[in-house]
């Protein structure tokens, strides 16, 4: 099993930046895919970004060029740097991992972008 705990959310003005962190309860060295999803009120959960154990990244079109995902296997951490934030980025952001053919989710961290 993998437990994931997010942190770093908050309230920021449009154009600002935040850095989200996700701490895993076990070594992530062998976890093939980790990533971030988000869910806005009344919307379905959507992919934001993923990163493989080999460092290959994938981003939703809406965040390309603004968000950067990274992982630190030594610290069992995954990060999401959010730059040039827009009001439409407001959502609960969830850390995600695919391990042993199972999906694991964190409890989420709220990101609110004001105009």
């Amino acid at each position: 099993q993998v437990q994931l705990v997010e942190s770093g959310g908050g309230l920021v003005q449009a154009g600002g930046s935040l850095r989200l962190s996700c701490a895993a309860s076990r070594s992530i060295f062998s976890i093939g895919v980790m990533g971030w999803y988000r869910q806005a009120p009344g919307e379905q959960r959507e992919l934001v970004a993923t990163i493989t154990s080999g460092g290959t990244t994938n981003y939703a079109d809406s965040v390309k060029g603004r968000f950067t995902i990274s992982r630190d296997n030594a610290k069992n951490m995954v990060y999401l740097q959010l730059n040039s934030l827009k009001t439409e980025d407001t959502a609960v952001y969830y850390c995600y991992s695919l391990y042993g053919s199972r999906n694991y989710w964190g409890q989420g961290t709220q990101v609110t972008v004001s105009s």
Side-chain angles (χ1 to χ4, degrees):
Q1 286 192 340
V2 183
Q3 293 181 328
L4 304 169
V5 179
E6 304 96 334
S7 61
L11 174 63
V12 63
Q13 287 190 328
S17 298
L18 282 174
R19 188 194 194 205
L20 305 184
S21 299
C22 172
S25 62
R26 61 169 297 138
S27 171
I28 66 171
F29 183 80
S30 60
I31 296 180
V33 180
M34 298 196 71
W36 293 89
Y37 282 69
R38 68 185 180 186
Q39 187 167 18
E43 302 289 335
Q44 291 194 349
R45 193 171 296 189
E46 64 175 4
L47 170 72
V48 177
T50 59
I51 185 167
T52 68
S53 57
T56 300
T57 58
N58 178 55
Y59 295 93
D61 288 342
S62 59
V63 307
K64 281 181 182 177
R66 301 188 299 121
F67 291 7
T68 302
I69 189 171
S70 61
R71 63 192 284 170
D72 186 335
N73 290 342
K75 295 182 179 180
N76 301 329
M77 297 289 292
V78 178
Y79 305 99
L80 185 69
Q81 179 68 40
L82 293 71
N83 295 330
S84 303
L85 281 161
K86 305 176 181 179
T87 55
E88 52 263 44
D89 294 319
T90 295
V92 177
Y93 284 69
Y94 296 92
C95 185
Y96 159 83
S97 71
L98 173 61
Y99 178 69
S101 300
R102 289 188 59 183
N103 297 322
Y104 294 90
W105 300 92
Q107 82 288 349
T109 186
Q110 176 71 47
V111 172
T112 302
V113 184
S114 64
S115 58

